Amino acid sequence: MMTLHAIFKTSTADQAVLKTATGPAPLDNCFVLEAGDLMGLVARHGDGARAIFEDPKLVQALALAHNHLLSTLCEKLDFLPVQIGSLYSSEAAIVDMMDEHRTTYHAGLERLRGCIEIAAQMQQTTSAATTENNAIGGRGGRAYLMARKCKRDQRRDMAAGAAAFSAKAREKLGAISHETRDLGERGLSFLVPRQDLATFVATAASLNDAASGATGETNVSLTGPLPVYSYVEELAQ
């Protein structure tokens, strides 16, 4: 049994990199499988491969190895990351699948060419001044009501500040990106040209510097480079 992890456009340069690609176990035995003008990064697991997907610990190990390997490769190579758990019985089955979806895969590779994914989370902190104000209550009903009003005002100001920062961050970082997607509670995803990564990171740093010291300070935290997971839902097998 085998798992397919990524699909590439066939090229001699990419083949040279992939032939030395290896990840943590159980992806320490990957090989390149060619299918005409496409090629896949495949790992062998033996006859007991299905057991991997029945044991939560083994599934976690496979997912971590998958992410580690593809995150390393995406720094240099263009590819379509394949959904974890794509299990095949033979090389022929993988080749047949790539043949069937060849046009879709080439379109995806062209659309995402030269790009990596960066995930962004907006993180809000409470300043020392805000914490001190919240602690000031004194005694008596009037002091208590004033403290409650102060907290409400601070929460309102913090929410407004966070919304303004998030909108500005999305605008500034989105201008450097080909595409932006909202991931809900997981934050934002940016499809960033590999050649503009340094500019993207520097822009995020400047946004954080400008917001430093504000009440309820909001920062943007970046994770990546990542394979373009958020941009290949229609391609996942």
Side-chain angles (χ1 to χ4, degrees):
M1 302 297 289
M2 306 172 187
T3 48
L4 173 66
H5 296 272
I7 296 171
F8 303 74
K9 186 175 181 179
T10 298
S11 79
T12 303
D14 284 7
Q15 283 177 329
V17 175
L18 292 173
K19 284 180 179 178
T20 61
T22 184
L27 298 185
D28 49 359
N29 61 345
C30 291
F31 67 96
V32 176
L33 177 61
E34 293 186 47
D37 54 3
L38 292 174
M39 56 187 184
L41 185 63
V42 179
R44 297 186 191 278
H45 300 285
D47 294 335
R50 293 191 185 278
I52 293 176
F53 299 97
E54 297 171 357
D55 185 326
K57 290 184 178 179
L58 294 179
V59 170
Q60 182 181 36
L62 179 61
L64 290 174
H66 172 87
N67 187 62
H68 174 84
L69 177 58
L70 297 194
S71 294
T72 300
L73 291 175
C74 78
E75 296 178 6
K76 296 181 179 179
L77 305 181
D78 294 334
F79 57 86
L80 304 175
V82 177
Q83 181 179 352
I84 192 70
S86 299
L87 188 63
Y88 296 86
S89 61
S90 66
E91 294 182 13
I94 297 175
V95 171
D96 288 346
M97 184 277 299
M98 287 197 284
D99 283 340
E100 181 181 355
H101 300 283
R102 185 175 303 277
T103 300
T104 301
Y105 290 156
H106 275 295
L109 285 164
E110 180 59 29
R111 179 172 64 88
L112 301 169
R113 181 163 55 93
C115 292
I116 44 86
E117 179 174 346
I118 299 293
Q121 276 277 1
M122 305 303 162
Q123 299 179 336
Q124 191 171 49
T125 60
T126 303
S127 70
T130 302
T131 303
E132 181 181 351
N133 288 337
N134 285 342
I136 296 175
R139 296 183 178 181
R142 179 177 176 79
Y144 171 76
L145 292 175
M146 289 297 294
R148 286 286 299 273
K149 181 180 184 302
C150 181
K151 290 180 181 180
R152 286 197 303 270
D153 290 346
Q154 287 171 349
R155 285 196 295 267
R156 179 199 62 210
D157 293 344
M158 289 171 67
F165 179 89
S166 296
K168 185 175 182 180
R170 182 165 189 158
E171 176 188 359
K172 296 291 186 181
L173 297 175
I176 308 169
S177 310
H178 283 342
E179 192 175 338
T180 304
R181 293 196 177 181
D182 191 333
L183 304 180
E185 293 183 356
R186 293 185 292 141
L188 297 172
S189 165
F190 296 91
L191 185 64
V192 183
R194 203 176 280 111
Q195 64 186 16
D196 294 331
L197 177 58
T199 301
F200 187 92
V201 173
T203 300
S206 68
L207 287 166
N208 289 341
D209 288 343
S212 179
T215 299
E217 175 184 336
T218 304
N219 288 327
V220 57
S221 175
L222 303 180
T223 302
L226 299 170
V228 290
Y229 292 126
S230 300
Y231 301 88
V232 294
E233 298 94 334
E234 70 278 16
L235 305 175
Q237 294 298 317

